[in-house]
Amino acid sequence: MLNVLAETASGEMLEGLKAIGAGLGYGLAAIGPGIGIGTVVGNAISSMARQPESAGMVRTTMFLGIAFTEALALIGFVVFILLLP
Amino acid sequence: MNSAVSSVDAPEVSIARDLARRALLVSPTFLVLGVVLDGVGGIISSGLALALVALNFFLGAQIISRAIAVSLNALYGAVLFGYLIRLGMMAFAVLIVRNAEWFATVPFAITLLITHLGLLIWETKHVSASLAFPGVMPAKPSTDNFQE
């Protein structure tokens, strides 16, 4: 009986730890891209302020840069899905 | 920035449209992959991943094009908050369907990652070639000069 209780408790604990790990992993994976997107957009804004005539090209590059940076967050998202109990 | 410019003509919106068109082109491959990996559930999961990728691009482009019409500071804020909102949207969408019988994690994850990165690489190659807007490839240099 005690063994069964211990196994159940450890199983629930394992599920809980998995959920915490998934959430932490997703959160941590989102920090890096957040910093990266800030850098990309900050530099794009500087460029557009200095040379408004090149805004079209800067916006194109900025959008692609943002999307590439987001791929890192997506990897964290996939790990989150896979780890969820 | 000129607020008179419509968001339809914005470069990021044309890129997002181009990415969605390319996603449609590659979708059969991923749908077949989904069927092979997990049957009908796999095909629906792959389709969901494709739709999420396209929606994510569209939403990002719309946020940028609308914010840039307001001011550059608004652009900064909108992009960062938009990033959080889009991540939350994707997590919410998956959390809703993940307990459904048809949801297959592996085809979904593979399609999501490969489509996002693959489409971006494809688009970047295209944009680098055109140096301005997607879908406008520079014309091949004429060989007429060499024939003279």
Side-chain angles (χ1 to χ4, degrees):
Chain A
M1 180 71 182
L2 281 176
N3 278 341
V4 172
L5 278 175
E7 279 176 14
T8 311
S10 64
E12 283 174 0
M13 190 179 281
L14 193 67
E15 296 290 297
L17 287 174
K18 270 187 182 176
I20 291 171
L24 268 180
Y26 191 25
L28 288 174
I31 292 175
I35 296 169
I37 287 174
T39 309
V40 168
V41 178
N43 286 320
I45 287 174
S46 296
S47 305
M48 283 188 272
R50 283 167 191 258
Q51 281 186 297
E53 68 273 11
S54 67
M57 210 169 71
V58 171
R59 281 165 71 176
T60 304
T61 317
M62 178 185 75
F63 182 67
L64 288 173
I66 290 171
F68 267 113
T69 316
E70 264 182 28
L72 290 172
L74 280 186
I75 292 170
F77 177 61
V78 165
V79 172
F80 165 73
I81 300 167
L82 293 175
L83 278 182
L84 269 181
Chain B
M1 293 292 112
N2 184 7
S3 58
V5 177
S6 74
S7 64
V8 178
D9 303 317
E12 53 276 343
V13 175
S14 1
I15 290 177
R17 204 183 304 121
D18 212 44
L19 284 165
R21 192 175 54 81
R22 287 170 201 270
L24 264 181
L25 285 177
V26 298
S27 61
T29 312
F30 288 99
L31 295 179
V32 168
L33 181 80
V35 171
V36 170
L37 287 175
D38 220 306
V40 179
I43 203 170
I44 301 173
S45 303
S46 291
L48 177 69
L50 281 165
L52 273 179
V53 166
L55 186 70
N56 189 33
F57 284 136
F58 259 117
L59 208 56
Q62 284 296 335
I63 287 171
I64 291 174
S65 65
R66 282 173 197 276
I68 211 162
V70 179
S71 75
L72 290 177
N73 290 328
L75 173 69
Y76 212 158
V79 168
L80 286 175
F81 280 107
Y83 166 67
L84 285 177
I85 290 167
R86 283 180 292 131
L87 278 188
M89 178 201 76
M90 292 188 84
F92 186 66
V94 170
L95 286 176
I96 287 175
V97 298
R98 94 185 163 92
N99 287 327
E101 278 181 20
W102 51 266
F103 185 69
T105 311
V106 176
F108 178 83
I110 290 174
T111 308
L112 191 75
L113 277 183
I114 295 181
T115 313
H116 187 91
L117 275 175
L119 287 178
L120 275 177
I121 291 168
W122 194 0
E123 188 65 31
T124 305
K125 198 177 162 192
H126 204 74
V127 168
S128 303
S130 67
L131 292 175
F133 295 98
V136 189
M137 287 286 285
K140 286 184 179 175
S142 169
T143 52
D144 291 345
N145 294 337
F146 299 107
Q147 290 172 350
E148 288 174 359

